[in-house]
Amino acid sequence: MDVKALLKEIQKNRQLSQDESSLINRAFSFAQRAHQGQKRKSGEPYFNHSYNTALKIAEWKLDSPTIVASLLHDVAEDTQYGITQIKNEFGEEVAFLVDGVTKVGKLKYRGAEAKAENLRKLIIVLSKDIRVILIKLADRLHNIKTLGALPPQKQKRIALETYDIYAPLAYRLGMNNLAGELEDLAFPYLYPEEYKWIIENVKEKYEERQRYLEKVKIVILKKLEEAGIKPINIDARAKRHSSLYKKLLRQNMNLEQVYDLVALRIIVKTVEDCYATLGIIHQLWPPLPGRIKDYIALPKPNGYKSLHTTVFCLENKPTEFQIRTQEMHDEDESGIAAYWAYSQLKSAKDYLLKQKSVFAEKNELNWVNQLKEWQKGITNPEEFIQSLKTDFFKDRIFAITPKGEVIDLSAGSTSVDFAYAIHTEIGNQCIGAKINGKITPLDYPIQSGDLVEILIQKSKKPSESWLEFVKTNRAKKEIKSALKDSLLRRIKETEFRIVGEDRVGLLKDISSIISKSKINISKIDMLKTAHFPHIKIRCDIKDKEKTERLILKIKNVQGVKEVSCKQI
Ligand code: MN
């Protein structure tokens, strides 16, 4: 760990001013001192972790405040120094970033798949700035690389969180390579048996394919040269274990059918060269039908661009090629961070205007596109920084249940909305709420990141006054329907029509049977016709069985000829 190596990594991409390098120097010593004596579970000094996180951030070509914040990212949480101290030493912006990382770090995922997307959104909301998420991703990458030293229980939790939350987040941000790396590092902890199977069965095939592709590479290089195309790089790229596993599951574990086990990746200078290279490959070898993918003209929803094709290559073996420019390659590595990096080379606008609009077939990617759209209209660097603010969820609230599930609500929602979002009965029986451990009025608006616990009482009914403050349609609908139900129940009565002999005491006998059954009589009408009296009795019964039992009893009363009933 040497500050010089970090400075050198940054200087690969840009000049560092005197001020910037002295700031980074200071942050380096500060963090090293703050973590003095602390050890990671692996036994190495804690600061190793901070340093590696910062190194990754520098690799992604982020700005100095982000690099400084990544050196300091665990200081507020794990040392005697607080955010105020960081603010005094390194300024508002750095303190803001460290604070964001600390807040996001408190969120824990315990595997409620349905709510994973909400947790991802909550991470975005709490970060308030894309750079916070990037630090968090760099932090996670180093943590998962050093996961081996932790106890098994913790390994599982962190691996699952990485697989379900952080890898998809990286993917959404266009960091395909990072997403794949995170998944692959988590894979052996989550699927140890499957991992073992793959290692045993694939190792030889991988090596065999590598050797084969070396031969292909020589052929293709020669042809490209003849056509006047100078590739920047050609390399064989093995498919990641985790994605191979997913593919095998779809293809009945048949390794022979995986044509991209190892693919040849060709990086060329221009888009024109990409298409020319594709043409040359197709002249050499016939393509497999349906396997030519033009992700340059039609990028993947997260912005991924490349040409893919599979051809019957040397020895008639199906072989996949991936063709792209350096810029596409960099973006695949660092995704949204690349937008940041390019903004420092040219103006942000120039770069972003060049980007073709991203096709969002999936709703879930809308927020990423929204972010990109925002950045397109930007004319100066300050505005660009503003555009990294992630407040595009400002009309949504993400609150957490005691079990760690994240509930997505509209802004201004209250504990009652939250209760109904969990379950209708929780809403109906709600009598109070604790927000972050404190009893809070039911009409109090929840904030993103709040931990909400609903207190319930069995057979409690919702109150009409709730309708004045609830925000979500679901709560409104459920409250109204519960109120209507109880209203209905109140007027629901049963009317018995009894025809009997005209005898003294008949009515008295019938009403005494009813009251012995502990049923209230609300109305009695007696109509004397020519021979028989007609009696109408209204009772407070909603229950069908009770009604039937009562009919039998009434029929047994002396002089009763006929009993029928009607629900009112
Ligand atoms: Mn950390």
Side-chain angles (χ1 to χ4, degrees), residues 40 46 49 53 73-74 136 139 143:
R40 301 272 288 174
Y46 194 95
H49 166 69
T53 305
H73 81 269
D74 278 328
K136 198 60 211 162
D139 164 66
N143 279 338

Side-chain angles (χ1 to χ4, degrees), residues 365-535:
L365 280 156
N366 278 351
W367 54 268
V368 176
N369 291 320
Q370 210 171 335
L371 185 68
K372 286 182 180 172
E373 284 300 320
W374 272 22
Q375 292 175 347
K376 272 185 198 169
I378 286 158
T379 49
N380 67 52
E382 278 112 87
E383 259 185 75
F384 187 79
I385 295 176
Q386 277 304 314
S387 78
L388 290 171
K389 302 277 183 290
T390 56
D391 57 354
F392 44 87
F393 286 131
K394 51 181 179 280
D395 53 341
R396 307 302 302 167
I397 293 293
F398 301 94
I400 311 168
T401 69
K403 280 186 189 155
E405 277 187 18
V406 180
I407 307 290
D408 176 2
L409 300 159
S410 31
S413 284
T414 63
S415 303
V416 174
D417 295 290
F418 181 88
Y420 278 108
I422 298 174
H423 196 275
T424 305
E425 280 312 302
I426 305 280
N428 285 341
Q429 299 174 1
C430 165
I431 51 157
K434 279 186 185 172
I435 297 184
N436 303 321
K438 262 199 284 187
I439 295 275
T440 311
L442 283 178
D443 62 351
Y444 183 84
I446 301 174
Q447 308 293 310
S448 268
D450 278 350
L451 189 110
V452 184
E453 189 185 341
I454 299 296
L455 311 171
I456 58 168
Q457 195 180 74
K458 283 262 148 62
S459 72
K460 174 83 176 42
K461 296 279 167 303
S463 150
E464 206 173 339
S465 66
W466 291 357
L467 287 170
E468 286 160 29
F469 60 75
V470 292
K471 280 282 170 319
T472 54
N473 287 330
R474 167 150 191 203
K476 279 178 198 158
K477 214 180 98 208
E478 300 279 13
I479 293 167
K480 279 181 193 158
S481 116
L483 289 173
K484 210 166 112 198
D485 265 7
S486 62
L487 214 63
L488 271 178
R489 246 173 250 152
R490 229 178 298 144
I491 57 164
K492 216 190 226 172
E493 292 185 322
T494 307
E495 187 178 81
F496 294 91
R497 290 166 184 228
I498 304 154
V499 182
E501 280 166 19
D502 190 7
R503 77 164 173 89
V504 177
L506 177 68
L507 185 61
K508 187 172 155 273
D509 289 349
I510 292 172
S511 50
S512 106
I513 289 277
I514 296 177
S515 41
K516 264 187 203 154
S517 307
K518 297 202 168 71
I519 291 162
N520 286 327
I521 296 172
S522 56
K523 202 177 169 199
I524 299 181
D525 280 316
M526 195 151 157
L527 204 90
K528 277 203 180 169
T529 55
H531 308 284
F532 306 115
H534 282 75
I535 304 169

Side-chain angles (χ1 to χ4, degrees), residues 8 40 47 55 110 129 145 148 167 215 249 273 288 296 298 303 319 327 422 456 459 499 523 543 554:
K8 221 169 129 194
R40 301 272 288 174
F47 180 66
L55 206 58
R110 297 185 193 279
D129 189 310
K145 278 182 181 167
K215 287 189 273 174
L249 281 184
D273 283 354
L288 263 74
I296 294 177
L298 296 173
T319 303
E327 212 165 295
I422 298 174
I456 58 168
S459 72
V499 182
K523 202 177 169 199
D543 194 286
I554 297 172

